[in-house]
Coordinates of all heavy atoms in Angstrom, one line a residue:
Y699 N 88.8 71.1 178.2 CA 90.1 71.6 178.8 C 90.0 73.1 179.1 O 90.4 73.6 180.2 CB 91.2 71.3 177.9 CG 92.5 71.9 178.3 CD1 93.3 71.2 179.3 CD2 93.0 73.0 177.7 CE1 94.5 71.8 179.7 CE2 94.2 73.6 178.1 CZ 95.0 73.0 179.1 OH 96.2 73.5 179.5
I700 N 89.5 73.9 178.1 CA 89.5 75.3 178.3 C 88.5 75.7 179.4 O 88.9 76.6 180.2 CB 89.1 76.0 176.9 CG1 90.2 75.8 175.9 CG2 88.7 77.5 177.1 CD1 89.8 76.3 174.5
V701 N 87.4 75.1 179.4 CA 86.4 75.5 180.5 C 87.0 75.2 181.9 O 86.8 76.0 182.8 CB 85.1 74.7 180.3 CG1 84.2 74.8 181.5 CG2 84.4 75.2 179.0
I702 N 87.6 74.1 182.0 CA 88.1 73.7 183.4 C 89.3 74.6 183.7 O 89.4 75.1 184.9 CB 88.5 72.2 183.4 CG1 87.2 71.3 183.3 CG2 89.3 71.9 184.6 CD1 87.5 69.9 183.2
W703 N 90.2 74.8 182.8 CA 91.4 75.5 183.1 C 91.1 77.0 183.4 O 91.6 77.6 184.4 CB 92.4 75.4 181.9 CG 93.8 75.9 182.3 CD1 94.3 77.1 182.1 CD2 94.8 75.1 183.0 NE1 95.6 77.2 182.6 CE2 95.9 75.9 183.1 CE3 94.9 73.8 183.4 CZ2 97.1 75.5 183.7 CZ3 96.0 73.4 184.0 CH2 97.1 74.2 184.2
Y704 N 90.4 77.6 182.5 CA 90.1 79.1 182.6 C 89.0 79.3 183.6 O 88.7 80.5 184.0 CB 89.9 79.7 181.3 CG 91.1 79.9 180.5 CD1 91.5 79.0 179.5 CD2 92.0 80.9 180.7 CE1 92.7 79.1 178.8 CE2 93.2 81.1 180.0 CZ 93.5 80.2 179.0 OH 94.7 80.3 178.3
G705 N 88.2 78.3 183.9 CA 87.2 78.5 185.0 C 87.7 78.4 186.4 O 87.0 78.5 187.3
N706 N 89.1 78.2 186.5 CA 89.7 78.2 187.8 C 89.1 77.1 188.7 O 88.6 77.4 189.8 CB 89.7 79.6 188.5 CG 90.6 79.7 189.7 OD1 91.6 79.0 189.7 ND2 90.3 80.6 190.6
L707 N 89.1 75.9 188.2 CA 88.6 74.8 189.0 C 89.8 73.9 189.4 O 90.2 73.0 188.6 CB 87.6 74.0 188.1 CG 86.4 74.8 187.5 CD1 85.6 73.9 186.6 CD2 85.6 75.3 188.7
P708 N 90.4 74.2 190.5 CA 91.7 73.5 190.9 C 91.6 72.0 191.0 O 92.5 71.3 190.5 CB 92.0 74.1 192.3 CG 91.2 75.3 192.3 CD 90.0 75.1 191.5
E709 N 90.5 71.4 191.5 CA 90.4 70.0 191.6 C 90.4 69.3 190.3 O 91.0 68.2 190.1 CB 89.1 69.6 192.4 CG 89.2 70.1 193.9 CD 87.9 69.7 194.6 OE1 87.0 69.1 194.0 OE2 87.9 69.9 195.8
K710 N 89.7 69.9 189.3 CA 89.6 69.3 188.0 C 90.9 69.6 187.2 O 91.4 68.7 186.4 CB 88.4 69.8 187.2 CG 87.1 69.3 187.8 CD 85.9 69.7 186.9 CE 84.6 69.2 187.5 NZ 83.5 69.4 186.6
A711 N 91.5 70.7 187.5 CA 92.8 71.1 186.8 C 93.9 70.1 187.2 O 94.8 69.8 186.4 CB 93.2 72.5 187.1
A712 N 93.8 69.6 188.5 CA 94.8 68.6 188.9 C 94.8 67.3 188.1 O 95.9 66.7 187.9 CB 94.5 68.3 190.4
W713 N 93.7 66.9 187.6 CA 93.6 65.8 186.7 C 94.4 66.0 185.4 O 95.1 65.1 185.0 CB 92.1 65.5 186.4 CG 91.8 64.2 185.6 CD1 91.6 63.0 186.1 CD2 91.7 64.1 184.2 NE1 91.4 62.1 185.1 CE2 91.4 62.7 184.0 CE3 91.8 65.0 183.1 CZ2 91.2 62.3 182.7 CZ3 91.6 64.5 181.9 CH2 91.3 63.2 181.6
Y714 N 94.3 67.2 184.9 CA 95.1 67.5 183.7 C 96.6 67.7 184.0 O 97.4 67.3 183.2 CB 94.6 68.8 183.0 CG 93.3 68.6 182.3 CD1 92.0 68.9 182.8 CD2 93.3 68.1 181.0 CE1 90.9 68.8 182.1 CE2 92.2 68.0 180.2 CZ 90.9 68.3 180.8 OH 89.8 68.1 180.1
L715 N 96.9 68.2 185.2 CA 98.3 68.4 185.6 C 99.0 67.1 185.7 O 100.1 66.9 185.3 CB 98.4 69.2 186.9 CG 98.0 70.7 186.8 CD1 98.0 71.3 188.2 CD2 99.0 71.4 185.9
M716 N 98.2 66.1 186.2 CA 98.8 64.7 186.3 C 99.2 64.2 184.9 O 100.1 63.4 184.8 CB 97.8 63.8 187.0 CG 98.3 62.4 187.2 SD 97.0 61.4 188.0 CE 97.9 59.8 188.1
R717 N 98.4 64.5 183.9 CA 98.6 64.1 182.5 C 99.5 65.0 181.7 O 99.6 64.8 180.5 CB 97.2 63.9 181.9 CG 96.5 62.6 182.3 CD 95.0 62.6 182.3 NE 94.5 61.4 182.8 CZ 94.4 61.1 184.1 NH1 94.7 62.0 185.0 NH2 93.9 59.9 184.5
N718 N 100.0 66.0 182.5 CA 101.0 66.9 181.8 C 102.4 66.6 182.3 O 103.3 67.4 182.0 CB 100.6 68.3 182.1 CG 101.3 69.3 181.2 OD1 101.5 69.1 180.0 ND2 101.7 70.5 181.8
S719 N 102.6 65.6 183.2 CA 103.9 65.3 183.8 C 104.3 63.9 183.3 O 103.6 63.2 182.7 CB 103.8 65.3 185.3 OG 102.8 64.3 185.7
S720 N 105.6 63.6 183.6 CA 106.2 62.3 183.3 C 106.1 62.0 181.8 O 105.9 60.8 181.4 CB 105.6 61.2 184.1 OG 105.7 61.5 185.5
G721 N 106.1 62.9 180.9 CA 106.1 62.7 179.5 C 104.7 62.5 178.9 O 104.6 62.3 177.7
W722 N 103.7 62.6 179.7 CA 102.3 62.4 179.1 C 101.9 63.5 178.3 O 101.0 63.3 177.4 CB 101.3 62.1 180.3 CG 101.5 60.8 180.9 CD1 102.0 60.6 182.2 CD2 101.2 59.5 180.3 NE1 102.0 59.2 182.4 CE2 101.6 58.6 181.3 CE3 100.7 59.1 179.1 CZ2 101.4 57.2 181.1 CZ3 100.6 57.8 178.8 CH2 101.0 56.8 179.8
S723 N 102.4 64.7 178.4 CA 102.1 65.8 177.5 C 102.5 65.5 176.1 O 101.8 65.9 175.1 CB 102.7 67.1 178.0 OG 104.1 66.9 178.1
W724 N 103.6 64.7 175.9 CA 104.0 64.3 174.6 C 103.1 63.3 174.0 O 102.9 63.3 172.8 CB 105.5 63.7 174.7 CG 106.5 64.8 174.9 CD1 107.1 65.0 176.1 CD2 107.0 65.7 174.0 NE1 108.0 66.1 175.9 CE2 108.0 66.5 174.6 CE3 106.8 65.9 172.6 CZ2 108.7 67.5 174.0 CZ3 107.5 66.9 172.0 CH2 108.4 67.7 172.6
V725 N 102.5 62.5 174.8 CA 101.6 61.5 174.3 C 100.3 62.1 173.7 O 99.9 61.8 172.6 CB 101.1 60.5 175.5 CG1 100.1 59.5 175.0 CG2 102.4 59.7 176.0
I726 N 99.8 63.1 174.5 CA 98.6 63.7 173.9 C 98.9 64.6 172.7 O 98.1 64.8 171.8 CB 97.8 64.6 175.0 CG1 96.5 65.0 174.5 CG2 98.7 65.7 175.5 CD1 95.5 63.9 174.2
A727 N 100.2 65.2 172.7 CA 100.6 66.0 171.6 C 100.7 65.1 170.3 O 100.3 65.5 169.2 CB 101.9 66.6 171.9
M728 N 101.3 63.9 170.5 CA 101.4 63.0 169.4 C 100.0 62.5 168.9 O 99.7 62.3 167.8 CB 102.2 61.8 169.8 CG 103.7 62.1 170.0 SD 104.5 62.9 168.5 CE 104.4 61.5 167.4
A729 N 99.1 62.3 169.9 CA 97.7 61.9 169.6 C 97.0 62.9 168.7 O 96.4 62.6 167.7 CB 96.9 61.6 170.8
V730 N 97.2 64.2 169.1 CA 96.6 65.3 168.3 C 97.3 65.4 166.9 O 96.6 65.6 165.9 CB 96.7 66.6 169.0 CG1 96.2 67.8 168.2 CG2 95.9 66.5 170.3
L731 N 98.6 65.3 166.9 CA 99.3 65.4 165.6 C 99.0 64.3 164.7 O 98.6 64.5 163.5 CB 100.8 65.5 165.9 CG 101.7 65.6 164.6 CD1 101.4 66.9 163.9 CD2 103.2 65.5 165.0

């Protein structure tokens, strides 16, 4: 995640942005917790 986000890779960052919407950010947060 860090390499893709801070490496300024827009196409790959879009994959993460899709999983940061519609409540999916809560899913990965619960997975980590």
Side-chain angles (χ1 to χ4, degrees):
Y699 174 81
I700 291 174
V701 168
I702 290 171
W703 194 265
Y704 287 98
N706 193 23
L707 304 173
E709 293 182 358
K710 293 187 176 183
W713 187 87
Y714 283 98
L715 289 172
M716 181 180 179
R717 285 153 181 81
N718 195 40
S719 60
S720 303
W722 288 110
S723 58
W724 288 102
V725 174
I726 191 61
M728 292 302 294
V730 173
L731 178 63

